[in-house]
């Protein structure tokens, strides 16, 4: 099939038109200001996965303006979501967006470096989403594995890293280390006997794993 992934992604996005207008507003504003958020198809995936899993507690690493956290909240509003963001301005904006949804009692934003915050968070989670520094996914996994409940869903965005994980011919020189670490991360999850994993080639690549 001689068709680019970009064309397929654009087609998928064009079909996902039934979006909560409040979420659509956040998406448009983020795109206008070049704030990195999950794509529309990943947003919808998060909504569906939270609907299916019905998690009591969700952990997110990388809040940005709250778009992905709210996508999960829409799927299962009863879930308690703890989301971590290091950028103070993003924290304040996310709080504003979450308040517009009336979800401030369900979504708690913790500002700070993920590694430090994760060390202090207690309890188990039924769903965990990584969408922060790509080079740190291995560290995030090591810090969250013991916080994953049985049948915990782990979802990680941007794991194909614009195709650069595929091979050297697709690499940009300054991205070599990150691409190598992402490949190592993917292999680590696949080789871990406690998990069942798959990769989805939507958007910039999504890893989904379930803890047995």
């Amino acid at each position: 099939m001689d068709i680019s992934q970009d064309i397929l992604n654009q087609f998928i996005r064009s079909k996902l038109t039934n979006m909560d207008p409040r979420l659509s507003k956040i998406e448009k504003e983020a795109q206008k200001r070049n704030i990195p958020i999950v794509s529309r198809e990943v947003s919808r995936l998060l909504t569906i996965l939270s609907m299916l899993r019905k998690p009591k507690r969700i952990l997110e690493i990388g809040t940005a303006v709250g778009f992905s956290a709210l996508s999960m909240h829409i799927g299962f509003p009863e879930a308690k979501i703890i989301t971590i963001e290091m950028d103070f301005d993003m924290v304040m904006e996310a709080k504003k967006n979450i308040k517009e949804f009336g979800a401030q009692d369900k979504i708690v934003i913790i500002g700070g470096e993920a590694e430090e915050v994760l060390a202090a968070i207690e309890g188990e989670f039924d769903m965990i989403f990584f969408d922060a520094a790509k080079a740190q996914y291995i560290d995030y996994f090591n810090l969250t594995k013991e916080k994953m409940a049985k049948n915990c869903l782990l979802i990680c965005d941007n794991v194909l890293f614009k195709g650069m994980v595929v091979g050297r011919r697709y690499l940009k020189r300054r991205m070599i280390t990150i691409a190598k670490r992402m490949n190592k991360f993917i292999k680590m999850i696949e080789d871990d006997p406690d998990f069942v994993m798959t990769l989805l080639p939507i958007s910039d690549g999504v890893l989904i794993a379930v803890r047995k």
Side-chain angles (χ1 to χ4, degrees):
M1 184 173 63
D2 188 18
I3 186 169
S4 75
Q5 187 64 42
D6 284 343
I7 291 173
L8 290 173
N9 284 333
Q10 289 169 15
F11 174 79
I12 292 168
R13 284 166 205 163
S14 74
K15 298 301 179 183
L16 302 178
T17 57
N18 187 17
M19 180 182 282
D20 185 300
R22 296 167 297 177
L23 202 62
S24 180
K25 179 182 175 183
I26 296 170
E27 179 192 49
K28 288 175 183 175
E29 182 65 22
Q31 290 172 346
K32 185 170 70 173
R33 294 162 53 198
N34 292 317
I35 295 172
I37 59 171
V38 299
S39 65
R40 186 174 296 191
E41 58 271 29
V42 173
S43 167
R44 185 65 60 85
L45 177 65
L46 291 172
T47 298
I48 289 172
L49 290 175
S50 63
M51 288 177 70
L52 291 172
R53 181 62 181 87
K54 294 180 170 53
K56 292 180 180 178
R57 298 179 82 214
I58 299 174
L59 175 65
E60 176 183 58
I61 304 175
T63 315
V65 292
F67 185 71
S68 49
L70 287 165
S71 299
M72 293 184 281
H73 172 75
I74 288 170
F76 191 62
E78 292 86 350
K80 183 77 170 185
I81 301 175
I82 296 175
T83 179
I84 304 168
E85 174 59 50
M86 64 176 293
D87 187 304
F88 178 76
D89 291 336
M90 292 292 100
V91 169
M92 299 310 294
E93 192 157 347
K95 285 184 176 180
K96 176 185 172 185
N97 290 331
I98 289 164
K99 188 174 181 180
E100 287 188 10
F101 269 77
Q104 59 268 36
D105 292 336
K106 291 296 185 180
I107 304 175
V108 176
I109 307 173
I110 302 178
E113 294 283 351
E115 290 84 351
E116 295 177 6
V117 175
L118 288 171
I121 290 177
E122 297 180 349
E124 290 187 332
F125 293 89
D126 308 299
M127 186 169 169
I128 296 179
F129 179 52
F130 293 175
D131 189 25
K134 312 311 166 191
Q136 306 304 317
Y137 276 20
I138 292 172
D139 299 327
Y140 299 156
F141 178 76
N142 289 332
L143 287 165
T144 58
K145 182 177 179 181
E146 296 311 311
K147 303 179 191 297
M148 297 182 194
K150 181 179 173 60
N151 295 323
C152 177
L153 269 178
L154 173 65
I155 307 109
C156 307
D157 199 18
N158 305 114
V159 295
L160 296 182
F161 202 54
K162 302 186 186 302
M164 285 185 271
V165 297
V166 175
R168 182 170 290 274
R169 61 182 289 193
Y170 303 105
L171 276 170
K172 294 180 180 177
R173 184 177 298 275
R174 60 190 179 87
M175 300 295 184
I176 290 174
T177 299
I178 299 175
K180 284 183 177 179
R181 285 183 65 83
M182 188 62 80
N183 263 313
K184 184 178 178 181
F185 169 70
I186 293 169
K187 183 174 181 359
M188 184 173 70
I189 306 297
E190 174 65 12
D191 291 345
D192 193 315
D194 293 333
F195 290 84
V196 177
M197 182 206 84
T198 192
L199 298 171
L200 302 180
I202 64 168
S203 192
D204 193 27
V206 179
L207 179 150
I208 300 178
V210 179
R211 182 162 197 174
K212 297 178 185 177

